Amino acid sequence: MQIEEYIKAGKIASEVREIVRVKDWIGKTVYEICESVEDEIKKRGAKCAFPVNTSINEVAAHYTAEPNDPITIKDTDLVKIDLGAQINGYIADTAVTVCYDPQYDGLVQAAEEGLANAMSMIKAGVKASDVGRTIETTIKQMGYKPIANLSGHSLEQYTIHAGKSIPNIWSIGGFSLSENSAYACEPFVTTSDGGGFVRNGQIKNIFAINSRKKTKDPEADKMLDFIWENFNMLPFALRWITKERDEKEARDLLNILIKKKAVQAYPVLIEVNEQRVAQAEHTFIPTENGVTVTTKA
């Protein structure tokens, strides 16, 4: 396991997250946000582990900007900016909720506190379900609801969701955290009026390779090779491809690849009662006596 590379990616991701946290994004488009955050990651010598997510209000996760996306941040918006840096496929995944409306400060605080309390109890051998219990208890004591069907995840080289989940609520069973493995912990919080679950939305603008099997369409196969060479198994966005190809052509080829199941598309995730959602996230590596939080500020 490449601890050094995880730590280096974490340092870069946390630096960029702290820039995001204090910047005034009001009046900026989501396209400008995604591009500028991704540039900050690259400028520091890492690659993006996935397209920056800018999920607004009741959209909990998985929204990234379309090419030249015109959606603009308003001073009433609650914006979750989820970013990832990778060095040789070793990933740091971290997120911050940017909020300009004081009535939602408590919601943002609940996500941050849930995350901080989770990090303070981690070491090798701790059960993931107990981490979930800590997150759930913290959030509920503050008068909010955790999102039950979103969770953190184990990380592996070039794999963001590597099979194991770090829940945001208490659950029966589960696994124990292994020493020197990497995980992301990401509490999602909604208001007391929220349902505490997310559903799939209509929009799908984050993609990843499913299979490298040829499609018998030469242009689509060329595009599949381009995706593999540039992004491996990691998620990507259409705007990453339109830097090389015409947008309409790129869209058409992507649709062929999705139809042939060579590429999968991830839907945005929306709070079931359309209540606002906040998120906080760190990447961490349990040790025998505690934890290395790679994305600590």
Side-chain angles (χ1 to χ4, degrees):
M1 148 132 180
Q2 308 294 319
I3 303 265
E4 292 317 304
E5 287 169 321
Y6 274 118
I7 287 171
K8 198 167 156 191
K11 184 174 183 296
I12 291 169
S14 65
E15 273 175 24
V16 176
R17 182 195 63 232
E18 294 311 304
I19 293 171
V20 168
R21 190 191 298 276
V22 297
K23 194 159 169 173
D24 180 0
W25 297 106
I26 297 166
K28 294 272 187 282
T29 65
V30 291
Y31 179 81
E32 289 171 302
I33 295 174
C34 291
E35 290 284 311
S36 99
V37 175
E38 288 166 5
D39 283 346
E40 292 291 348
I41 292 169
K42 292 175 202 156
K43 214 157 75 185
R44 287 168 172 73
K47 288 182 175 172
C48 296
F50 51 85
V52 166
N53 288 207
T54 48
S55 306
I56 302 170
N57 299 336
E58 73 279 4
V59 178
H62 294 175
Y63 188 90
T64 195
E66 292 287 348
N68 306 311
D69 200 316
I71 294 171
T72 303
I73 303 304
K74 303 188 292 295
D75 59 5
T76 52
D77 285 335
L78 192 68
V79 190
K80 294 150 296 288
I81 300 180
D82 190 338
L83 60 105
Q86 57 107 344
I87 306 262
N88 297 325
Y90 296 99
I91 298 163
D93 186 356
T94 187
V96 61
T97 301
V98 182
C99 169
Y100 305 104
D101 185 341
Q103 69 170 313
Y104 297 110
D105 285 352
L107 195 61
V108 176
Q109 196 56 42
E112 293 283 351
E113 295 267 321
L115 181 61
N117 290 348
M119 290 301 101
S120 69
M121 65 175 288
I122 283 173
K123 61 178 191 208
V126 166
K127 283 194 109 121
S129 56
D130 289 333
V131 178
R133 189 200 314 252
T134 297
I135 293 169
E136 179 175 20
T137 305
T138 304
I139 291 167
K140 285 185 168 169
Q141 279 170 349
M142 293 175 75
Y144 298 99
K145 274 186 187 170
I147 302 252
N149 61 338
L150 285 178
S151 60
H153 42 91
S154 52
L155 295 158
E156 281 170 18
Q157 190 181 21
Y158 291 110
T159 309
I160 288 189
H161 290 263
K164 290 183 169 157
S165 295
I166 310 285
N168 290 321
I169 56 166
W170 188 75
S171 52
I172 292 169
F175 68 102
S176 300
L177 300 173
S178 321
E179 195 175 353
N180 296 341
S181 293
Y183 305 91
C185 177
E186 48 182 332
F188 286 86
V189 185
T190 190
T191 66
S192 55
D193 295 330
F197 290 87
V198 290
R199 62 172 173 84
N200 290 345
Q202 292 297 309
I203 296 168
K204 297 178 180 179
N205 54 20
I206 294 176
F207 310 92
I209 281 193
N210 247 343
S211 142
R212 295 190 61 205
K213 217 165 88 199
K214 295 286 178 244
T215 64
K216 303 195 173 67
D217 179 315
E219 282 305 305
D221 288 342
K222 235 186 260 176
M223 171 101 117
L224 194 61
D225 289 340
F226 172 83
I227 293 166
W228 173 255
E229 281 154 24
N230 287 275
F231 319 125
N232 196 294
M233 299 299 287
L234 293 171
F236 63 92
L238 180 64
R239 58 191 164 76
W240 289 3
I241 295 174
T242 54
K243 293 185 170 45
E244 310 288 329
R245 280 176 181 267
D246 167 72
E247 186 182 328
K248 185 185 177 316
E249 181 197 23
R251 245 182 231 284
D252 292 346
L253 292 174
L254 202 49
N255 285 334
I256 292 170
L257 293 173
I258 292 166
K259 271 202 189 79
K260 300 274 191 185
K261 299 195 163 47
V263 165
Q264 59 181 329
Y266 297 94
V268 297
L269 301 171
I270 299 169
E271 209 287 320
V272 289
N273 291 356
E274 309 222 332
Q275 290 293 306
R276 302 201 168 204
V277 177
Q279 172 199 17
E281 180 178 21
H282 274 314
T283 295
F284 67 92
I285 298 171
T287 62
E288 198 185 338
N289 312 316
V291 63
T292 303
V293 180
T294 66
T295 51
K296 205 161 120 187

